Amino acid sequence: MQDTLFVNLLFINIKKKIKPHWITAFVSGMIIGLLTYGYFMSNHFLTYDSMWNLYSDQNMINLGRQFLQYACGIGSYYDLPWLNGLLAIIYLSVTSVLVVEGLGLRSHINVVLASGVLLTFPSVISTFCYTFTLDGYMMAALLAAAAFLVTDRKKWGFLAGIVFLGTSLGIYQAYLSFAIILCILRLLLDILDRDNIQEIIIKAIKYMVMGIGSYLFYQVTLNLMLKLQHVELSGYQGIDSIQKFSFSTLPQGFSAAFMNFLNFARWSNVLTTTDAMKIAFIALMLLGVAAYLYFFIINKRYKCLFHILLTIILVAAIPFGATAVNIISPDLFYHILLRYAWSLFFVFVLALSERFAITENKRLNRIKYSAVSAISIFSIILVFQFSLMANIVGFNMHERYEKTYALCVRILDRLEQTPGYEHGMPVAILGGGPDFPSTDITANDLVGYFGTSGDYFVNSTQKCAEFMSHYMNVTLETIEYSEELKLWDTEEYQNCPKFPNEGCIIQINGVWVVKLNG
């Protein structure tokens, strides 16, 4: 009886501490996530990287991701779309709770829309193409949001924030920007909400200490684990610059970060794929700027030089915060997976819409009501358009699988019908993809997305061999890439017809060569 009473009291206590908007954020995130990515989770879509990761312990310490192995270990090291996808949606739904709490959203409609943006943003869509590491990456986003919130709410929370964000960086470095933009947007809201300048300064200092401390935590743990595992950082996309950072590269880094920010807004196609998306994107940005200026003026913040200067500094810092990794690695290809921080700008506009209060001025009230309604409508359009794009990506991924399967069947069939070839003989499949006209009907819409372009996801001997092994039960004997390079320069290869023409498969120096292209 006493045990039952204790459990009931504990449940009631927990229930009192859980705020209604937390439940709304989590539940809406789960529903929107499952509806948006059900196609991904019920199919096994592949990318160029998937061939090496159908089973992988995700030990990517050579890429500066020393904690990725442990984050992915919560689920499975197999590429399991349903399990990894479900874990990712759970992590993102919790992230939604942390973000709406941190940015002060309370209205249920705004909370639902914020969750919708965070779950369907194109960065998440592209990450769902890499289900083998999806759950780990989304945990990194959750930890970045947790680092922000605990630093914001607790006096000594920045200590936990250092560990949270440092661990997030050790899973995937991209979410540094997510945490930075969260901090910047929170400070911009505090400028509107707080009269006490000292409180804002203290909070800004806590954010900076948390950020610097997390980077040091990341560096120390990375170097320690590199030494323990006797591994060196790869030069892939400038990853090794983490250890070779020099202040002399800062001008180049800041320039690259700023241009990447502008180019994504203008030319990425990701936020402007359809006319409806373009209108919603532009409208929300304009409404957000107008709303912030309105509250800045109505709250008389223009009378305080500190508020003016801090606002200018924070706004100027946004492009660099959103592309922070570029400052450290100027040569980094800043693809869509690294752009998740952009989702927060739309959540910020929703947070501003909650600040419109009813007054005695009926005309002003109508303007406010129109602004709030417009923000809600354009946000709904944006979330729907993002969800639509997710399914278009899934559609293309399915077509790519079918085309790749058909291509590998044709290659294998021609190879087996070639006189003199026997299983076990070394094979080289050269030229990347075949020289066929593209049949990708989604190409124009998916410009800017990562991992979804093209008609096939095999472009080398090794990837074709991996695909045939797992999906066609055939083992090809391959050769080293250095040996393949020598075959390219031979006269026999240069004069060989392209696949599928007669004579496209020849034997050169004991290796059966399939010339796809080039």
Side-chain angles (χ1 to χ4, degrees), residues 419-434:
Y421 171 77
E422 296 180 5
H423 285 292
M425 291 182 170
V427 175
I429 303 173
L430 306 181

Side-chain angles (χ1 to χ4, degrees), residues 65 76 136 156 164 189 199 223 248 258 304 348 350 380 448:
R65 303 168 194 170
S76 171
W156 297 98
F164 288 156
L189 291 174
E199 289 181 359
N223 284 287
S248 63
F258 184 73
C304 176
F348 181 70
L350 291 168
I380 291 171

Side-chain angles (χ1 to χ4, degrees), residues 48-190:
Y48 289 119
D49 294 341
S50 296
M51 292 295 91
W52 319 128
N53 290 279
L54 292 176
Y55 178 86
S56 171
D57 63 7
Q58 294 303 309
N59 186 351
M60 299 291 183
I61 189 171
N62 65 313
L63 297 180
R65 303 168 194 170
Q66 68 269 31
F67 298 126
L68 179 61
Q69 179 179 13
Y70 309 105
C72 291
I74 294 174
S76 171
Y77 291 139
Y78 285 99
D79 186 1
L80 304 178
W82 181 262
L83 175 62
N84 294 350
L86 182 60
L87 286 172
I89 290 171
I90 291 172
Y91 295 152
L92 284 174
S93 298
V94 176
T95 302
S96 298
V97 174
L98 300 176
V99 171
V100 300
E101 174 64 22
L103 295 184
L105 280 79
R106 297 295 180 268
S107 164
H108 288 298
I109 180 62
N110 284 337
V111 169
V112 170
L113 290 172
S115 293
V117 171
L118 292 168
L119 266 292
T120 65
F121 193 74
S123 295
V124 180
I125 298 172
S126 277
T127 309
F128 258 87
C129 298
Y130 300 86
T131 51
F132 57 85
T133 192
L134 169 67
D135 51 335
Y137 283 10
M138 295 303 98
M139 177 180 280
L142 188 159
L143 288 170
F148 151 73
L149 188 60
V150 73
T151 302
D152 183 77
R153 295 299 169 85
K154 302 295 182 181
K155 182 177 181 180
W156 297 98
F158 63 88
L159 296 175
I162 287 172
V163 178
F164 288 156
L165 186 55
T167 304
S168 174
L169 291 172
I171 297 173
Y172 192 43
Q173 300 93 333
Y175 299 104
L176 171 63
S177 291
F178 191 70
I180 291 174
I181 295 301
L182 270 171
C183 294
I184 290 175
L185 296 181
R186 181 63 261 178
L187 287 172
L188 285 171
L189 291 174
D190 283 341

